Each structure stands twice: as structure tokens, then as C-alpha cells.
Amino acid sequence: MCFFPRATVDAPGGRLAVYVARLPSVRVGISGFTARARDEALDLLVAEVRAEPERRVVVMGDLNGSTDDRALRPLTDRLVSAQTEAGAGFGFTWPTRLPVVRIDQMLLGGVRAASAWTLPATAGDHLPVAARIALPPGARTLIRPGPEETSPVRGCHAHGPRPRPGPSLRRSHRTTHRRPERPAAFTSPSSPVPRPGTP
């Protein structure tokens, strides 16, 4: 089964739920492109976001699809892309040598992006991404309502055995961390990078 780490952050205006996701790659087979594993994992992620009790949500990671991908609409109809809202340039992330598409995303609900940008290449085959998120005190914006789910959530075995939660994530994948009083900056989990400066 797929496992999407989730944490809650104490922030101005209330708590913020943050999900980290890495969806399976789109594959090329005998019959052409297949995205079945990616779409099964996406169904599970969408179900978790729909059930999220917090009003403010960030979903970030390698989604192996652009925001124009129809398969991602259950997420992009509910959440706003930080790059689309406030990004510098095209924000392409893959492949590292000559990026032509953005498949590493930061999607926001109930908060707004102040800026978004790509970071220098690392050893990975994706460019890392970063965003600065405005967290105004007293914000009560709700996640945009999305379309009703029309098919049951399917199982996902693309990642192998479910990883054991680390010390900062309990079995329920819910934990709380206190953050400093300043705009939040998040980076994609594609690869560890130093804390970004001002774009």
C-alpha cells in the first residue's frame, strides 16, 4: 500500500497539514504508455486530502504529472499550484539536463503562494523546487470543493512494503511541529538541498 507522510504545523491563523507524496512513474509498455500504478496511488492521495480535517493543506512532491494532466484534476480542482500562482519562469523540473515539464508540484489549499522557484540541480534527475507561502493570521479560507469521486479507491502496491513511520510520524502519520513566526518555505522531497534564500 502507498504511504503518504503527513504532519501538522502550528502556524499563524491555525494549523497547516502538509503531505509529502511520490507517485509511481508513467511507464512505457508493449501497448504504449501506462499510468495505472500512478493513478491508483493518486486515488489514495485524493481520498486522504478529501478527508483532511484541517482547513489549510499543502501537498508537495513528485506527482509524475503536470498540472495540465487530466488525471491530476481531482487534486488540481481542489488545490492551487504554487508555481502557477506565484512562480518565477516555467518552473520545469524534469529531466535535470534539459527540463521540459514540471512534474514536481506544491499544491496549496487555504493558503497562498508568495513565490515559487526551482533550485540548482543535485545528483537526482529532477530539479528541486521551493515555495514561500503566506500564512496570514486569522485566515479561514477553505479548500475549493472538488468533483465527487466516481470510483472506489483502489489498492496501490507500486512502492512495495509500507515503510515504517519515523520518530516524528506516529502510526496515524499525524504529528505537530511548531514553526517560527515567518513565511513558510518548503522544498520538494525529490532530493535534500540547503535551505533556499530569497529568489
Side-chain angles (χ1 to χ4, degrees):
M1 296 294 289
C2 290
F3 175 74
F4 303 109
R6 173 194 181 276
T8 54
V9 181
D10 285 334
R15 292 196 298 180
L16 176 73
V18 180
Y19 289 84
V20 178
R22 185 185 186 283
L23 302 185
S25 300
V26 175
R27 301 293 182 183
V28 179
I30 297 175
S31 59
F33 286 98
T34 175
R36 179 177 177 181
R38 191 275 309 270
D39 294 346
E40 288 177 348
L42 181 61
D43 284 348
L44 295 176
L45 177 60
V46 169
E48 291 207 25
V49 172
R50 284 179 174 164
E52 173 55 50
E54 300 298 339
R55 292 171 176 262
R56 305 191 296 176
V57 178
V58 173
V59 175
M60 61 182 178
D62 176 5
L63 302 188
N64 270 304
S66 75
T67 51
D68 295 324
D69 189 330
R70 287 182 296 176
L72 265 61
R73 282 185 183 170
L75 277 180
T76 57
D77 282 348
R78 303 171 68 86
L79 306 173
V80 177
S81 163
Q83 178 66 31
T84 300
E85 185 174 55
F90 293 109
F92 294 156
T93 64
W94 184 87
T96 299
R97 284 177 153 250
L98 184 62
V100 294
V101 65
R102 185 175 76 253
I103 60 176
D104 301 273
Q105 310 290 351
M106 290 190 188
L107 305 178
L108 315 177
V111 292
R112 296 186 63 85
S115 57
W117 64 100
T118 57
L119 294 164
T122 65
D125 61 345
H126 297 231
L127 290 180
V129 299
R132 193 165 296 279
I133 299 170
L135 300 172
R140 294 294 179 186
T141 307
L142 296 175
I143 298 174
R144 293 203 309 247
E148 292 297 322
E149 188 171 23
T150 57
S151 60
V153 174
R154 301 184 294 275
C156 171
H157 305 281
H159 291 258
R162 180 175 178 150
R164 297 179 61 186
S168 64
L169 294 175
R170 298 193 295 271
R171 187 68 178 174
S172 65
H173 7 140
R174 299 180 186 275
T175 184
T176 301
H177 302 283
R178 186 163 296 279
R179 63 175 296 284
E181 296 294 322
R182 58 182 174 181
F186 296 104
T187 57
S188 165
S190 297
S191 53
V193 294
R195 184 179 181 86
T198 302

